[in-house]
Amino acid sequence: MITIDNLHKSFGKLQVLSGVSLDFGRPGIYAILGPNGSGKTTLIKSILGMSIPDKGQIRFQGEDIRGRWDYRRQIDYLPQIARFPDNLRVSELLDMIQDIRGEKPQALGRLIEMFGLQPFLDKRLGNLSGGTRQKVNLVQAFMYDSPVLILDEPTSGLDPVALIRLKALLLEEKAKGKLLLATTHIMNFVEEMADEVVFLLEGRIHFRGSVDSLKREYRENNLERAIARILQGEQGFSANGHSQEAARMARSYEL
Ligand SMILES: Nc1ncnc2c1ncn2[C@@H]1O[C@H](COP(=O)(O)OP(=O)(O)OP(=O)(O)O)[C@@H](O)[C@H]1O
Ligand SMILES: [Mg+2]
């Protein structure tokens, strides 16, 4: 469905992606992992055409996305930080999205109920708690039935009940044969949900495979520890800023 070939992206002197090649050919849930600043959001934005690569190619269902926008209709997207106007009420935002899209949503009432948002529909976005705002963000991402869903930190700020609902929703969408890409730093979520993980570090893909194969490869039963092994391995190879970040991450895993 999505093929990424030799993607490069830098911001000024900062090389963020340096030769990322990935193929999301089969439906399922893919977790895109990597430390803060490793380029996960940049990769996602590149797929959406919101970040223009310096080099490389992205194909959506076989066709180069460069200069195109129509394919985006087939992707539902949850941004990491949704910047909607604070003075907008929740119901106004949801109406606005329907106006822009020009289509009736599939399951809006059910989603509002699932995330307990009924009491907040008349409230302004700026007055909502972070978790409630994330629930609104999730509702807008799930309200259409596109074949691809890209979720940048969907678990962010959610309480346990909302997290359970989100996981159920993801499994429902997966059962429909969709392709789901999600970034997260919550390893329990990855263990439970991901068919495959992609680990991004130093601008490159350092691992791609199932959670079990990652644990096997790094000889760890615990996913967090296996990931810390990837980061520790990187520590020895170079001494630039990213590696210092990797070393810091490894220390934060207390290894
Ligand atoms: N528009 C931009 N201009 C300049 N630098 C940017 C821009 N967008 C991202 N960056 C930089 O690129 C690097 C990768 O950022 P990105 O947001 O892709 O990381 P991430 O893996 O999503 O991190 P996180 O886990 O914190 O969400 C960071 O160093 C960031 O500061
Ligand atoms: Mg990010």
Side-chain angles (χ1 to χ4, degrees):
M1 276 175 177
I2 300 175
T3 312
I4 299 167
D5 192 20
N6 196 28
L7 204 68
H8 287 69
K9 177 72 184 175
S10 53
F11 296 106
K13 284 185 185 153
L14 181 69
Q15 185 80 35
V16 177
L17 302 175
S18 25
V20 169
S21 295
L22 274 171
D23 179 25
F24 299 111
R26 273 180 298 146
I29 302 178
Y30 296 80
I32 300 174
L33 309 180
N36 296 134
S38 56
K40 302 179 296 296
T41 298
T42 305
L43 178 65
I44 282 176
K45 286 188 172 173
S46 306
I47 296 172
L48 290 157
M50 296 162 70
S51 174
I52 308 299
D54 304 325
K55 199 172 136 189
Q57 191 191 48
I58 301 176
R59 274 172 289 152
F60 187 86
Q61 283 164 351
E63 291 196 44
D64 193 339
I65 65 164
R66 205 170 337 183
R68 286 180 45 219
W69 50 270
D70 51 315
Y71 75 96
R72 282 189 234 167
R73 207 165 239 285
Q74 297 184 61
I75 305 178
D76 289 326
Y77 170 50
L78 177 100
Q80 180 168 13
I81 299 169
R83 296 190 208 276
F84 301 120
D86 276 354
N87 62 343
L88 218 57
R89 295 177 202 278
V90 173
S91 56
E92 289 171 341
L93 171 71
L94 298 175
D95 287 347
M96 191 183 82
I97 290 167
Q98 293 174 59
D99 280 350
I100 293 170
R101 184 104 179 194
E103 270 178 83
K104 278 267 156 242
Q106 304 275 329
L108 185 54
R110 178 170 176 251
L111 287 169
I112 289 171
E113 200 180 309
M114 264 182 121
F115 289 109
L117 285 177
Q118 198 69 41
F120 299 96
L121 290 176
D122 284 333
K123 297 234 179 334
R124 293 186 197 282
L125 291 165
N127 295 338
L128 299 181
S129 71
T132 305
R133 216 185 286 203
Q134 178 71 346
K135 290 176 192 170
V136 173
N137 197 11
L138 283 167
V139 167
Q140 71 76 28
F142 281 97
M143 67 197 249
Y144 290 101
D145 200 17
S146 305
V148 177
L149 255 160
I150 300 184
L151 308 167
D152 203 350
E153 308 258 359
T155 55
S156 172
L158 294 184
D159 62 39
V161 173
L163 198 54
I164 288 171
R165 298 277 152 80
L166 169 66
K167 288 192 268 194
L169 208 48
L170 290 173
L171 292 177
E172 269 180 33
E173 298 303 305
K174 175 179 151 178
K176 293 181 192 167
K178 294 189 181 187
L179 171 67
L180 294 99
L181 310 183
T183 71
T184 181
H185 294 289
I186 312 292
M187 290 306 125
N188 279 345
F189 179 86
V190 176
E191 294 228 56
E192 217 177 308
M193 305 302 300
D195 297 306
E196 270 195 37
V197 304
V198 168
F199 196 89
L200 201 57
L201 184 65
E202 299 260 293
R204 292 202 175 81
I205 305 299
H206 271 245
F207 180 85
R208 157 99 194 244
S210 66
V211 169
D212 283 344
S213 62
L214 192 152
K215 288 177 177 173
R216 265 200 311 277
E217 187 161 321
Y218 290 88
R219 290 188 218 91
E220 286 287 355
N221 291 325
N222 176 292
L223 179 60
E224 268 170 20
R225 284 182 172 272
I227 282 173
R229 289 248 174 269
I230 304 181
L231 297 169
Q232 280 185 321
E234 189 57 28
Q235 219 176 323
F237 291 120
S238 68
N240 66 21
H242 278 302
S243 281
Q244 282 164 21
E245 173 74 357
R248 192 189 60 70
M249 283 288 291
R251 280 199 299 279
S252 78
Y253 282 109
E254 291 179 347
L255 276 177

